[in-house]
Amino acid sequence: MGVLENKFKDNVIVASMDKLLGWARSTSPWYFQFGLACCAIEMMASAASRHDLERIGMMPRSSPRQADVMIVAGTVTMKMALRVKKLYEQMAEPKYVISMGSCATSGGPYWQHGYHVLKGVDLVVPVDVYVPGCPPRPEALIEGLLKLQEKIQTERPLTRKSV
Amino acid sequence: MKIAEIKATIINQFPDSVLESEDLAESQLELKADQWFEIATFMKEDPNLSFDQLECITGIDLGVEASLQSRYNFHSMEHRHKVEILITHDRNEPKVASIETIWRIGDWFERETYDMFGIVYEGHRDLRRILCPDDWEGWPLRKDYEGQELYHGIVIPKMKEEDGWE
Amino acid sequence: MYRDFGTIFIFIFMGIVLVYVPLLIQKLIAPNNPNPDKLATYECGEESEGSAWVQFNIRFYVVALIFLIFDVEVVFLFPWAVVFNELGLLAFIEMAIFLLILIVGLAYVWRRGDLDWVKYDVKYGRGRYANLTSQNNNSQDS
Amino acid sequence: MGVVKGDQMVLNIGPQHPSTHGVLRLEVMTDGEIVSQIRPHLGYLHRCFEKHSENVTYEQVIPFTDRCDYLASMNSNFGYVVAMEELMEIKIPERVEYIRVIMGELNRIASHLLALGVYGLDIGAFTPFLYMLRDRERILDIFEYTCGARLLYNYMWVGGVSHDLPKDFETICIDFLDYFEPQIKEYNNLLSYNKIFVERTADVGVIPADVAVSYGVTGPNLRASGVKWDVRKDEPYSIYEKFDFDVPTGTAEFGTLGDCYDRYWVRMLEIEESVKILRQALKEVPSGDVHQALPKKIRPPIGSVYRRTESPRGDLGYYIVSDGTPVPSRVKMRSPAFTALSCLDEVSRGWMISDVIAILGSLDIVLGEIDR
């Protein structure tokens, strides 16, 4: 844990520090290019010229070390599930996960006979925002990302977690 | 070259390895598995057959207790004619010669059919699973395949017909 | 004259401050919980097999040496070039001799073939890579 | 001067990598730069398509064929539907045939646009990717206008199509084609004659014709090696005989026959051919009802069929075995990208790692279709 993290009782100074930190972290969450299947093409389309993700500060990074948000875009299979867990661990804190598409959320159209399909990526990594759709439209993905930015702003990194 | 002539040239070249069965389509030819490698090399080298493209190898499970079958589709770029070869294996230890050294794509097609059905292709240089992970149990596409419960600690929920998630 | 030292001192001081203060803030605030997976080398999601500390091909070392020589040569050129117009013809001739010696070195290295970096042995080399198709490659069974 | 061999190390160009076009793991044996052997590992996106198609009815298999080749879902549907109609001997009204050819060719352009754009990304050129995806969005608008979906359409059913064409579809398409043709020249200026791009791709990753055929490579990759083989011309299905278009093969424009540049160049020429087909098809779309030939209950006779169609990646074959029940007994999809990837090991022996990325990008593989 960081030196000052979660150490302080809730008071006005720490609250404003939290708001500043939350604002700083939420303005440009770089997303981790984790394109698995059809949702990856929609993620590419939303990063390209018409629905530009750079407007909301989202820049594609291809290494977990430089990324804050992991967008799991596509079907996570059993063989891939172990890699997803390992890659999530290798991301730098504070990290967030968006499960894009119904395949990543719950196995999607492959839920019934997909012996090799992981029924939902939340069995492996903690997920922050679920984006429904198969594949979700770029507008849906952008709405999910904005929802995530709101969630980052309300986080309280410095105040002690009331256990 | 018409399909009948193709079958004729193969039959009179390897008379004893051809099986006659009536419910086959016109372009199909059923063979026994023993001389398969020689027939395959003959089909590739023979000038007026010259099947140089192996289109597809399909593994088929004919029924819960019935035998397995692997069907080869061949096509010749030169003469633009096609043929389909069927080879039946029994269910417990399906074996057939590998044609991977003749057509290079056979390598992956055979690995996939092995992965899905468990049909062993002898003489294959590197017969491993290609789609499922290496430590996957069972042959997924067989009719009597029961999915495994647990894989590296991740539960694979079983969908019961009547009461939804288990 | 002493004023110049003042500006240099401020320059250095600001350099140090602008580097270490953010690092300090980061040390205080940033969450930091290492675990074995996180500290493992990132290799596209796979465990890395074997180590990268293998005995590298010699050509990497040779080219690094050649670069070093000519880099040092350029370092000598800079001060000479700055005051070039005050110097007379003699300095020009000296530098020409210095350069000539190094040109001989370059010719030797070029002749020996250490500069053509590309050390392919391509299986289906055609066109400009045709001569790089090494014969021993076809003997390997694919 | 003897070649001093350094030790070999194993490098994983792994499942999560920006240039593997999906989840593909290449286990590369290299001495730091020169690649001596590649072992591709597949199966990271194996979604049990064939197991699903043994448990759902014939109509329900169509959405799964969409999701196999998600870049060219119209052509995947087209292949499955043509195979089914051959098995059941259904006669298709003329209007449906025209709609299918139009949709298939539009989808081919969209798939090639994304393939070439991402290939530019692999080589390091970012702007063509943005230009090409901007125009691809216009095609997706046309698809959305007709069947409501952007990427996976479930549009072509056995015996017909799901939605009839909207009323001013032809004018919209022709407007798009008029807008699109000058754009192709723009791409050529951006990428095709770019010195760096040519230097990185000409003469690199040559696939000789016989190796290509032996590896079962088909489609633009095979035509780039000089073999003139196009299922639309050689085993015509639907109404492709009506249109005259020529099949572009490798022209060794900047290097030798069958190198990475040729594969790129053949795809660029194919976009122009598709535009030619679309112009001819859009002129004479007959009227009629698209739902008229839809069978109420799909119960094909017992038997099997193997039918190939031309998807943007090559020969997309469907082997369908039916046992008379409304549920297929076996559906095998012969995926063109699967065979294109199989020759990567032999072709990229001895090249540098950055060349291997160029070769992999030029093969234009889609992992959903490889792993099924």
Side-chain angles (χ1 to χ4, degrees):
Chain A
M1 294 304 291
V3 172
L4 298 181
E5 216 184 341
N6 299 343
K7 289 290 184 301
F8 295 95
K9 287 206 305 306
D10 193 359
N11 57 44
V12 65
I13 302 156
V14 173
S16 47
M17 271 298 291
D18 276 345
K19 257 159 66 61
L20 172 69
L21 260 180
W23 168 77
R25 283 180 183 172
S26 74
T27 43
S28 75
W30 288 356
Y31 66 96
F32 176 30
Q33 250 176 338
F34 204 81
L36 298 162
C38 350
C39 291
I41 307 297
E42 281 300 83
M43 190 169 75
M44 264 198 252
S46 52
S49 31
R50 176 179 283 189
H51 320 271
D52 194 353
L53 276 186
E54 294 271 347
R55 296 179 273 143
I56 45 177
M58 306 281 295
M59 199 168 85
R61 303 302 303 169
S62 46
S63 134
R65 309 297 193 198
Q66 308 153 0
D68 310 323
V69 180
M70 172 200 254
I71 302 184
V72 182
T75 319
V76 184
T77 56
M78 283 305 163
K79 207 174 186 179
M80 197 58 196
L82 315 172
R83 299 338 183 244
V84 168
K85 183 152 192 42
K86 189 169 177 52
L87 283 164
Y88 176 73
E89 293 301 336
Q90 285 180 346
M91 281 173 75
E93 299 287 328
K95 49 193 175 189
Y96 309 95
V97 174
I98 287 186
S99 135
M100 174 182 179
S102 52
C103 283
T105 312
S106 66
Y110 304 98
W111 66 277
Q112 193 169 13
H113 306 291
Y115 49 85
H116 191 241
V117 171
L118 179 72
K119 306 299 190 284
V121 84
D122 39 20
L123 298 172
V124 180
V125 286
V127 174
D128 291 298
V129 174
Y130 294 91
V131 179
C134 181
R137 293 179 57 87
E139 292 88 350
L141 175 64
I142 291 174
E143 199 229 343
L145 295 171
L146 293 178
K147 256 318 165 272
L148 176 75
Q149 289 189 348
E150 281 156 27
K151 174 173 181 175
I152 297 174
Q153 270 163 6
T154 55
E155 242 182 5
R156 308 292 300 267
L158 288 183
T159 48
R160 185 178 306 130
K161 291 282 178 297
S162 50
V163 90
Chain B
M1 204 169 141
K2 298 225 8 66
I3 184 71
E5 290 153 23
I6 298 171
K7 288 163 98 167
T9 41
I10 295 178
I11 288 168
N12 58 40
Q13 191 72 20
F14 298 89
D16 55 358
S17 77
V18 180
L19 295 167
E20 285 313 323
S21 55
E22 63 302 328
D23 61 355
L24 283 188
E26 196 243 352
S27 72
Q28 290 177 335
L29 180 66
E30 178 135 14
L31 298 177
K32 280 209 283 290
D34 46 12
Q35 277 188 329
W36 172 227
F37 191 77
E38 292 76 21
I39 301 174
T41 33
F42 167 69
M43 280 166 66
K44 169 121 199 225
E45 260 83 34
D46 186 64
N48 44 32
L49 281 183
S50 86
F51 286 109
D52 50 6
Q53 192 185 29
L54 166 61
E55 274 173 60
C56 173
I57 299 179
T58 317
I60 290 173
D61 182 352
L62 295 173
V64 179
E65 278 320 314
S67 57
L68 296 176
Q69 215 180 39
S70 49
R71 301 186 177 189
Y72 299 78
N73 292 76
F74 292 103
H75 171 259
S76 158
M77 281 292 183
E78 251 172 281
H79 311 304
R80 294 286 196 263
H81 55 234
K82 298 199 287 189
V83 81
E84 184 175 324
I85 306 283
L86 284 77
I87 296 180
T88 318
H89 328 279
D90 77 324
R91 195 169 189 80
N92 314 75
E93 22 107 22
K95 275 207 303 300
V96 77
S98 153
I99 52 171
E100 174 235 357
T101 45
I102 309 167
W103 292 278
R104 291 297 302 132
I105 186 56
D107 174 4
W108 278 24
F109 278 151
E110 282 167 357
R111 271 179 65 189
E112 188 198 342
T113 318
Y114 164 74
D115 185 358
M116 289 295 143
F117 287 91
I119 303 173
V120 174
Y121 292 89
E122 290 138 347
H124 192 290
R125 265 177 284 232
D126 164 22
L127 199 61
R128 306 182 260 112
R129 285 183 179 272
I130 192 167
L131 291 181
C132 293
D134 294 343
D135 51 4
W136 194 261
E137 291 112 25
W139 312 109
L141 272 186
R142 286 198 182 184
K143 298 284 185 204
D144 52 6
Y145 170 71
E146 268 314 311
Q148 56 185 19
E149 284 304 314
L150 212 58
Y151 177 73
H152 284 287
I154 306 168
V155 171
I156 309 175
K158 193 56 89 264
M159 164 56 198
K160 291 285 177 306
E161 255 51 41
E162 52 296 332
D163 62 359
W165 289 110
E166 169 227 274
Chain C
M1 216 284 281
Y2 291 107
R3 272 181 45 74
D4 299 346
F5 284 108
T7 47
I8 292 173
F9 171 72
I10 288 175
F11 203 69
I12 293 172
F13 173 73
M14 283 311 292
I16 291 174
V17 160
L18 284 182
V19 166
Y20 282 104
V21 164
L23 280 181
L24 183 68
I25 294 175
Q26 191 256 349
K27 194 90 189 75
L28 293 180
I29 289 179
N32 158 30
N33 31 32
N35 61 39
D37 262 350
K38 180 179 280 188
L39 301 179
T41 58
Y42 160 69
E43 199 167 337
C44 301
E46 292 289 330
E47 287 85 16
S48 47
E49 300 150 29
S51 88
W53 289 88
V54 293
Q55 203 240 326
F56 275 104
N57 195 313
I58 198 70
R59 66 176 186 274
F60 298 125
Y61 175 68
V62 167
V63 172
L65 259 189
I66 296 170
F67 164 73
L68 203 62
I69 296 165
F70 290 104
D71 197 22
V72 167
E73 172 196 359
V74 167
V75 162
F76 288 133
L77 284 180
F78 281 144
W80 171 71
V82 166
V83 291
F84 178 66
N85 39 30
E86 283 99 15
L87 301 180
L89 184 62
L90 182 63
F92 175 73
I93 294 166
E94 276 161 18
M95 192 48 83
I97 295 165
F98 172 69
L99 281 182
L100 196 65
I101 297 166
L102 284 158
I103 298 292
V104 167
L106 174 65
Y108 166 72
V109 158
W110 198 326
R111 185 72 191 78
R112 242 178 111 254
D114 283 343
L115 285 191
D116 49 4
W117 174 253
V118 175
K119 287 280 183 297
Y120 293 94
D121 53 356
V122 170
K123 188 158 180 125
Y124 297 107
R126 300 284 191 285
R128 49 197 162 98
Y129 297 109
N131 50 14
L132 297 167
T133 316
S134 72
Q135 291 55 32
N136 61 15
N137 210 326
N138 304 337
S139 60
Q140 274 170 356
D141 57 348
S142 57
Chain D
M1 188 190 68
V3 176
V4 174
K5 270 258 185 278
D7 290 356
Q8 299 286 328
M9 69 175 170
V10 175
L11 179 72
N12 271 314
I13 302 184
Q16 187 275 325
H17 191 275
S19 78
T20 51
H21 296 249
V23 274
L24 156 75
R25 172 180 163 211
L26 298 176
E27 202 183 320
V28 179
M29 253 58 90
T30 168
D31 76 340
E33 211 180 19
I34 306 292
V35 163
S36 57
Q37 201 211 345
I38 292 185
R39 275 164 45 136
H41 291 258
L42 310 175
Y44 286 93
L45 196 59
H46 173 48
R47 303 187 275 194
C48 338
F49 161 69
E50 278 145 16
K51 189 72 178 176
H52 276 95
S53 50
E54 282 167 16
N55 294 299
V56 290
T57 64
Y58 282 97
E59 306 91 348
Q60 290 169 337
V61 171
I62 292 176
F64 287 107
T65 59
D66 269 343
R67 278 149 185 80
C68 276
D69 183 352
Y70 39 78
L71 273 182
S73 343
M74 282 293 189
N75 290 300
S76 305
N77 290 357
F78 206 171
Y80 177 76
V81 154
V82 161
M84 281 303 297
E85 274 140 22
E86 199 172 301
L87 185 64
M88 296 168 67
E89 284 102 19
I90 302 176
K91 186 66 197 72
I92 307 294
E94 205 51 19
R95 180 174 173 79
V96 171
E97 294 286 10
Y98 271 85
I99 292 176
R100 284 185 181 165
V101 164
I102 292 169
M103 289 301 162
E105 290 312 315
L106 274 174
N107 201 236
R108 191 185 309 278
I109 296 177
S111 161
H112 278 331
L113 280 182
L114 193 115
L116 299 179
V118 172
Y119 189 38
L121 265 181
D122 287 347
I123 304 286
F126 190 72
T127 35
F129 171 75
L130 297 177
Y131 278 60
M132 290 186 183
L133 255 76
R134 172 200 61 187
D135 298 334
R136 178 173 173 267
E137 291 283 336
R138 285 171 178 267
I139 300 181
L140 300 190
D141 290 348
I142 296 176
F143 286 142
E144 197 179 339
Y145 186 50
T146 4
C147 58
R150 277 169 56 91
L151 197 68
L152 308 171
Y153 317 105
N154 186 9
Y155 181 63
M156 299 190 188
W157 290 349
V158 181
V161 278
S162 62
H163 299 76
D164 201 344
L165 291 184
K167 53 188 177 326
D168 50 3
F169 178 79
E170 282 82 2
T171 47
I172 291 174
C173 256
I174 290 170
D175 295 348
F176 165 70
L177 291 177
D178 298 343
Y179 154 79
F180 183 62
E181 294 226 83
Q183 302 304 327
I184 300 178
K185 268 185 285 307
E186 197 182 20
Y187 303 147
N188 285 340
N189 303 341
L190 265 178
L191 202 56
S192 306
Y193 306 118
N194 179 326
K195 188 78 183 74
I196 305 166
F197 183 75
V198 168
E199 196 65 33
R200 276 290 302 278
T201 50
D203 289 334
V204 171
V206 173
I207 306 181
D210 56 342
V211 171
V213 170
S214 157
Y215 269 97
V217 174
T218 51
N221 302 331
L222 183 64
R223 290 193 282 275
S225 300
V227 178
K228 199 173 183 49
W229 167 257
D230 186 330
V231 181
R232 292 174 296 180
K233 281 276 190 202
D234 297 307
E235 282 175 13
Y237 54 96
S238 172
I239 45 167
Y240 273 107
E241 304 98 346
K242 285 206 173 73
F243 309 112
D244 74 337
F245 60 97
D246 50 14
V247 175
T249 57
T251 54
E253 191 89 7
F254 277 106
T256 56
L257 199 57
D259 57 8
C260 287
Y261 191 84
D262 271 351
R263 287 189 279 278
Y264 164 85
W265 190 241
V266 161
R267 285 197 182 84
M268 195 56 93
L269 297 178
E270 258 185 30
I271 290 181
E272 278 143 22
E273 294 313 315
S274 296
V275 169
K276 214 188 290 180
I277 296 177
L278 278 170
R279 283 210 188 278
Q280 295 163 34
L282 281 167
K283 268 203 291 293
E284 63 230 12
V285 181
S287 66
D289 170 16
V290 289
H291 299 301
Q292 162 243 349
L294 287 177
K296 298 297 160 288
K297 197 82 189 85
I298 296 188
R299 296 170 84 84
I302 295 178
S304 70
V305 69
Y306 178 74
R307 190 65 183 99
R308 294 195 291 192
T309 52
E310 184 67 29
S311 97
R313 266 151 215 81
D315 286 8
L316 175 67
Y318 278 94
Y319 195 100
I320 303 173
V321 177
S322 92
D323 50 7
T325 65
V327 171
S329 151
R330 170 83 160 105
V331 174
K332 153 90 181 174
M333 175 177 159
R334 185 255 190 220
S335 126
F338 185 77
T339 51
L341 187 65
S342 65
C343 77
L344 180 71
D345 175 23
E346 183 163 338
V347 159
S348 55
R349 284 264 167 86
W351 290 102
M352 287 197 187
I353 291 182
S354 47
D355 297 334
V356 167
I357 302 288
I359 297 168
L360 185 65
S362 74
L363 290 174
D364 176 21
I365 54 171
V366 167
L367 261 300
E369 180 187 45
I370 289 180
D371 295 345
R372 279 177 300 281

